Short mmCIF file of all heavy atoms in Angstrom, two decimals:
data_model
loop_
_atom_site.label_atom_id
_atom_site.label_comp_id
_atom_site.label_asym_id
_atom_site.label_seq_id
_atom_site.Cartn_x
_atom_site.Cartn_y
_atom_site.Cartn_z
N ALA E 402 109.84 -25.02 93.28
CA ALA E 402 111.02 -25.54 93.94
C ALA E 402 110.68 -26.39 95.16
O ALA E 402 111.20 -27.50 95.39
CB ALA E 402 111.95 -24.46 94.30
N VAL E 463 118.42 -16.11 95.90
CA VAL E 463 118.15 -17.60 96.20
C VAL E 463 119.09 -18.02 97.29
O VAL E 463 118.63 -18.77 98.24
CB VAL E 463 118.34 -18.45 94.88
CG1 VAL E 463 118.32 -19.91 95.30
CG2 VAL E 463 117.25 -18.12 93.86
N VAL E 482 118.77 -29.13 100.60
CA VAL E 482 118.77 -27.69 100.46
C VAL E 482 119.44 -27.31 99.06
O VAL E 482 119.11 -26.35 98.42
CB VAL E 482 119.57 -27.07 101.59
CG1 VAL E 482 119.64 -25.54 101.44
CG2 VAL E 482 118.97 -27.36 102.92
N GLY E 483 120.46 -28.17 98.61
CA GLY E 483 121.11 -27.87 97.47
C GLY E 483 120.26 -27.97 96.24
O GLY E 483 120.29 -27.12 95.36
N ASP E 484 119.36 -28.97 96.23
CA ASP E 484 118.43 -29.17 95.10
C ASP E 484 117.44 -27.94 95.05
O ASP E 484 117.02 -27.47 93.97
CB ASP E 484 117.67 -30.41 95.25
CG ASP E 484 118.46 -31.68 94.91
OD1 ASP E 484 119.59 -31.46 94.41
OD2 ASP E 484 118.09 -32.82 95.22
N PHE E 485 117.01 -27.56 96.29
CA PHE E 485 116.05 -26.41 96.37
C PHE E 485 116.76 -25.16 95.78
O PHE E 485 116.10 -24.43 95.00
CB PHE E 485 115.66 -26.15 97.81
CG PHE E 485 114.89 -24.85 97.96
CD1 PHE E 485 113.56 -24.82 97.68
CD2 PHE E 485 115.52 -23.67 98.44
CE1 PHE E 485 112.83 -23.62 97.88
CE2 PHE E 485 114.86 -22.51 98.56
CZ PHE E 485 113.46 -22.46 98.31
N ILE E 486 118.04 -24.92 96.15
CA ILE E 486 118.64 -23.73 95.63
C ILE E 486 118.78 -23.75 94.10
O ILE E 486 118.52 -22.75 93.41
CB ILE E 486 120.08 -23.58 96.23
CG1 ILE E 486 120.01 -23.32 97.75
CG2 ILE E 486 120.90 -22.49 95.58
CD1 ILE E 486 121.33 -23.26 98.47
N LEU E 487 119.22 -24.88 93.57
CA LEU E 487 119.32 -24.98 92.08
C LEU E 487 118.04 -24.79 91.34
O LEU E 487 117.91 -24.06 90.36
CB LEU E 487 119.89 -26.41 91.76
CG LEU E 487 121.40 -26.55 92.12
CD1 LEU E 487 121.78 -28.04 91.77
CD2 LEU E 487 122.31 -25.65 91.33
N LEU E 488 116.94 -25.48 91.83
CA LEU E 488 115.67 -25.33 91.17
C LEU E 488 115.04 -23.97 91.36
O LEU E 488 114.51 -23.38 90.40
CB LEU E 488 114.71 -26.40 91.75
CG LEU E 488 114.99 -27.88 91.36
CD1 LEU E 488 114.08 -28.84 92.08
CD2 LEU E 488 114.72 -28.06 89.79
N ASN E 489 115.15 -23.42 92.55
CA ASN E 489 114.66 -22.07 92.74
C ASN E 489 115.40 -21.03 91.93
O ASN E 489 114.81 -20.14 91.25
CB ASN E 489 114.76 -21.73 94.26
CG ASN E 489 114.00 -20.48 94.60
OD1 ASN E 489 114.47 -19.60 95.42
ND2 ASN E 489 112.90 -20.15 93.97
N PHE E 490 116.73 -21.17 91.79
CA PHE E 490 117.49 -20.30 90.88
C PHE E 490 117.10 -20.47 89.45
O PHE E 490 116.99 -19.43 88.69
CB PHE E 490 119.00 -20.59 91.04
CG PHE E 490 119.88 -19.81 90.12
CD1 PHE E 490 120.05 -18.50 90.20
CD2 PHE E 490 120.53 -20.50 89.10
CE1 PHE E 490 120.82 -17.78 89.43
CE2 PHE E 490 121.40 -19.86 88.22
CZ PHE E 490 121.46 -18.43 88.35
N TYR E 491 116.91 -21.71 89.01
CA TYR E 491 116.48 -21.96 87.63
C TYR E 491 115.10 -21.31 87.29
O TYR E 491 115.04 -20.54 86.28
CB TYR E 491 116.52 -23.38 87.34
CG TYR E 491 115.84 -23.85 86.04
CD1 TYR E 491 116.54 -23.58 84.86
CD2 TYR E 491 114.54 -24.36 86.00
CE1 TYR E 491 115.89 -23.87 83.58
CE2 TYR E 491 113.93 -24.62 84.82
CZ TYR E 491 114.66 -24.44 83.59
OH TYR E 491 114.05 -24.75 82.43
N PHE E 492 114.21 -21.65 88.14
CA PHE E 492 112.82 -21.13 87.88
C PHE E 492 112.80 -19.62 88.03
O PHE E 492 112.14 -18.88 87.10
CB PHE E 492 111.79 -21.71 88.83
CG PHE E 492 111.51 -23.17 88.56
CD1 PHE E 492 111.64 -24.13 89.56
CD2 PHE E 492 111.11 -23.57 87.32
CE1 PHE E 492 111.33 -25.45 89.31
CE2 PHE E 492 110.81 -24.87 87.03
CZ PHE E 492 110.93 -25.85 88.11
#
Side-chain angles (χ1 to χ4, degrees):
V463 170
V482 180
D484 288 347
F485 171 82
I486 293 175
L487 289 175
L488 287 173
N489 191 216
F490 173 69
Y491 168 74
F492 288 127

